[in-house]
Amino acid sequence: MTKQTIIRIQQETFDIALEMQRLSQGRSDVGAIVTFTGLCRDENAALCALELEHYPGMAEEEIARVVAQAEARWPLLGITVIHRYGRMNPGDQIVLVITASSHRQAAFESAEFLMDYLKTRAPFWKKEHKRDGTIGDWVSAKDHDDQAAARWEQT
Amino acid sequence: MKAVYFAWVRERIGHAEEEINPPAHVSNVADLISWLSEKGEEYAYAFEKPQIIRVAIDRTHVKHDTLIKDAREIAFFPPMTGG
């Protein structure tokens, strides 16, 4: 069976169960599916929404490069990456990564690798809109995200 | 070549894209950033900390010592915060 790769950049939300099914339907060699969903988080009840800006064209291409690295590193049967852009409310789904493999280890590890690399390489930027009506700051990049991505270089 | 700007780099400069024609002595990304910084106050503000600016040439991440010749589209943006 061939490997499936699905990469989508979209405004609308996604259906996790449906996306999982896409990777496993019509085949019986998949033994493990890992899904990761990133949500719009509001830590101190101050956030009204997040605005996600992206670089159209490059976002798809860069995610495809990261996906190709994961495919070269783990024996995967399917990968789905969906990243949304536009306005998100607290609790909304922002990003979905699904990895399918014969065994769980490859699925777990590659899903984590994909998220760590997407965080530091995919051209997306978050801006906060505050609950008091003001437009807040652009979210700043975190050093620990760079460190999380860097550890894959050593292993 | 076409320059494109994202997130707070775009906001500080005041527009999302433009055609630029750097002179011949501007050879790499770092040179281009310092040349752009001199285009006006808004550019100086956007590029006030040049070391944190990320750059992509024709939709591929590049380092500041990358040569810009043959670039069609060059993008400037802050560190990414997706996912």
Side-chain angles (χ1 to χ4, degrees), chain B residues 3-6 9 32-33 36 47 53-55 74-78:
Chain B
V4 294
Y5 310 113
F6 292 96
V9 175
L32 183 59
I33 289 176
L36 282 168
F47 296 117
I53 300 292
R54 304 296 176 93
V55 180
I74 181 154
F76 301 87
F77 43 79

Side-chain angles (χ1 to χ4, degrees), chain B residues 27-30 62-68:
Chain B
S27 64
N28 67 20
V29 167
V62 294
K63 299 209 160 115
H64 285 204
D65 60 2
T66 305
L67 298 178
I68 59 165

Side-chain angles (χ1 to χ4, degrees), chain A residues 3 65-79 99-117 148-149 151-153 155:
Chain A
K3 186 168 55 199
R65 284 188 278 266
V66 173
V67 164
Q69 275 181 274
E71 286 173 337
R73 201 158 166 168
W74 287 276
L76 298 173
L77 300 170
I79 297 186
T99 52
S101 189
S102 306
H103 301 286
R104 73 180 182 281
Q105 191 186 3
F108 272 129
E109 287 180 3
S110 58
E112 200 172 6
F113 169 90
L114 284 163
M115 273 314 300
D116 286 346
Y117 270 59
R151 77 200 152 104
W152 295 103
E153 320 256 335
T155 50

Side-chain angles (χ1 to χ4, degrees), chain A residues 53 55 65 121 127 138, chain B residues 10-11 59 61 73 83:
Chain A
E53 178 171 333
Y55 184 174
R65 284 188 278 266
R121 301 194 58 90
K127 186 177 196 168
W138 290 92
Chain B
R10 170 181 54 73
E11 287 183 343
R59 299 172 173 181
H61 291 295
E73 183 171 292

Side-chain angles (χ1 to χ4, degrees), chain B residues 2-83:
Chain B
K2 183 168 144 189
V4 294
Y5 310 113
F6 292 96
W8 55 255
V9 175
R10 170 181 54 73
E11 287 183 343
R12 289 180 179 191
I13 289 174
H15 47 261
E17 59 175 78
E18 64 185 322
E19 270 303 308
I20 54 168
N21 292 296
H25 68 81
V26 173
S27 64
N28 67 20
V29 167
D31 297 339
L32 183 59
I33 289 176
S34 55
W35 179 74
L36 282 168
S37 307
E38 288 164 15
K39 271 171 66 96
E41 273 178 24
E42 62 277 35
Y43 291 87
Y45 180 36
F47 296 117
E48 66 182 356
K49 287 183 191 149
Q51 69 281 6
I52 66 169
I53 300 292
R54 304 296 176 93
V55 180
I57 290 181
D58 296 327
R59 299 172 173 181
T60 303
H61 291 295
V62 294
K63 299 209 160 115
H64 285 204
D65 60 2
T66 305
L67 298 178
I68 59 165
K69 77 181 176 67
D70 307 329
R72 281 162 303 162
E73 183 171 292
I74 181 154
F76 301 87
F77 43 79
M80 289 138 286
T81 54

